[in-house]
Amino acid sequence: MGQKVNPIANRLGIIRGWDSNWYGGKKYGNTLLEDSKIRKYLNARLAKASVSRIVIERTLKLVTITVCTARPGIIIGKGGQEVDKLKEELKKITDKDIQINIFEIKKPELDAVIVANNVARQVEGKIAYRRAVKMAIASTMRMGAEGIKIQVSGRLNGAEMARSEMYKEGRTPLHTFRADIDYAHAEALTKVGLIGIKVWICRGEVYGKKDLAPSFVAAKESGHSNNNRGGDRGDRRNRDDQGRGFKRNKRK
């Protein structure tokens, strides 16, 4: 069963909470559609900001939107100008008061959505899919994940016939409910068609009762963004070194 069901939906109410927190009542359908529009708009608008998760909480007149991102500086802008623009744009969609919180993800390598999107962008940029996948696996395992599994499907390397390839390292127990498994699906639009990328990351096991309400303790403003940029550069250097090593081995 664990192989067939979305690992996130499978764990809802056990070790993972919902991304939309509100009571719908008679207007449930309209509210759900509004949530979908907000998510679609924010994912398109903040495509370069490495957005992982958008959590929406509602009261009678206020909509609180928490954006989990690896690059908070891009969303906040100079002196919070970008956030104010976003609020105005979202007010047109919802006709309600909007509050936007920004939560910085300290370890983007352990977030399935960010990893899947990174691999997809690399494949779109004509980087060999094997190299992109192996680099993603190496950086995730280096950050302390228990296991990672990546499946790439489609016309790989422009082949005439589509196929699927899977790369694994460590353990990803999909049947174990207490295993904190993050899952994401991304698509890379290449010249020869869409290539689908699925990522499963096991971040350990959760024991005891978990509070499922969304609590973002470190939802800070732009103070962290400068340090984060420096960190990104360091990671990039490591990735480049790794890439070169991989090339050298291939030549041999």
Side-chain angles (χ1 to χ4, degrees), residues 7-8 10-12 14-16 146-147 171-183 201-207 210:
I8 291 169
N10 210 11
R11 287 162 177 75
L12 281 178
I14 301 168
I15 62 160
R16 194 178 168 114
E146 279 198 13
R171 59 190 283 272
T172 47
L174 301 184
H175 287 66
T176 311
F177 284 160
R178 68 166 176 254
D180 181 11
I181 288 181
D182 198 13
Y183 166 79
I201 295 175
C202 179
R203 298 185 289 209
E205 294 190 358
V206 178
Y207 293 96
K210 194 175 179 187

Side-chain angles (χ1 to χ4, degrees):
M1 190 187 88
Q3 303 288 335
K4 302 283 178 284
V5 184
N6 184 314
I8 291 169
N10 210 11
R11 287 162 177 75
L12 281 178
I14 301 168
I15 62 160
R16 194 178 168 114
W18 285 258
D19 283 355
S20 291
N21 287 271
W22 38 264
Y23 173 70
K26 289 179 182 176
K27 295 182 179 177
Y28 181 86
N30 296 334
T31 317
L32 191 66
L33 187 64
E34 207 172 80
D35 273 15
S36 175
K37 282 179 183 173
I38 289 170
R39 285 203 172 89
K40 199 173 179 183
Y41 177 76
L42 284 177
N43 281 324
R45 171 87 156 68
L46 307 172
K48 292 180 181 175
S50 298
V51 173
S52 153
R53 191 176 166 209
I54 295 164
V55 178
I56 299 172
E57 297 167 85
R58 291 172 183 268
T59 55
L60 277 172
K61 290 181 181 177
L62 181 71
V63 180
T64 306
I65 299 169
T66 306
V67 182
C68 303
T69 172
R71 298 176 179 176
I74 293 176
I75 301 175
I76 294 162
K78 281 188 180 175
Q81 290 173 344
E82 290 296 315
V83 175
D84 297 335
K85 270 188 202 172
L86 263 183
K87 273 186 193 174
E88 294 306 315
E89 290 162 14
L90 290 170
K91 268 183 190 175
K92 291 172 187 173
I93 297 174
T94 59
D95 293 329
K96 295 183 183 79
D97 288 331
I98 299 269
Q99 182 186 331
I100 296 178
N101 298 330
I102 290 157
F103 177 74
E104 184 184 358
I105 294 169
K106 294 288 193 299
K107 294 181 178 179
E109 290 88 354
L110 296 181
D111 195 287
V113 177
I114 294 172
V115 171
N117 284 328
N118 281 347
V119 172
R121 298 299 80 80
Q122 282 177 296
V123 170
E124 283 177 352
K126 295 184 180 175
I127 288 174
Y129 72 93
R130 272 196 198 99
R131 183 181 168 194
V133 167
K134 284 179 179 176
M135 279 163 61
I137 287 173
S139 61
T140 299
M141 292 304 286
R142 206 186 305 127
M143 291 306 287
E146 279 198 13
I148 178 172
K149 184 164 74 170
I150 298 180
Q151 181 176 314
V152 192
S153 306
R155 291 184 61 186
L156 304 176
N157 281 343
E160 197 71 23
M161 190 177 282
R163 66 179 192 274
S164 291
E165 283 191 19
M166 189 177 275
Y167 298 84
K168 299 177 188 177
E169 196 170 323
R171 59 190 283 272
T172 47
L174 301 184
H175 287 66
T176 311
F177 284 160
R178 68 166 176 254
D180 181 11
I181 288 181
D182 198 13
Y183 166 79
H185 171 248
E187 290 174 345
L189 182 59
T190 64
K191 275 187 178 181
V192 292
L194 278 178
I195 287 178
I197 292 137
K198 288 181 178 179
V199 176
W200 295 259
I201 295 175
C202 179
R203 298 185 289 209
E205 294 190 358
V206 178
Y207 293 96
K209 200 169 188 322
K210 194 175 179 187
D211 182 21
L212 302 177
S215 57
F216 298 99
V217 183
K220 294 284 181 187
E221 294 293 306
S222 54
H224 293 291
S225 56
N226 293 331
N227 304 338
N228 192 38
R229 276 180 212 135
D232 277 355
R233 275 191 210 115
D235 286 353
R236 266 184 223 129
R237 277 188 209 116
N238 292 342
R239 283 180 208 138
D240 290 347
D241 293 344
Q242 220 179 354
R244 282 189 213 113
F246 187 64
K247 266 186 182 172
R248 240 178 265 132
N249 294 342
K250 252 189 161 179
R251 280 188 202 124
K252 281 174 189 173

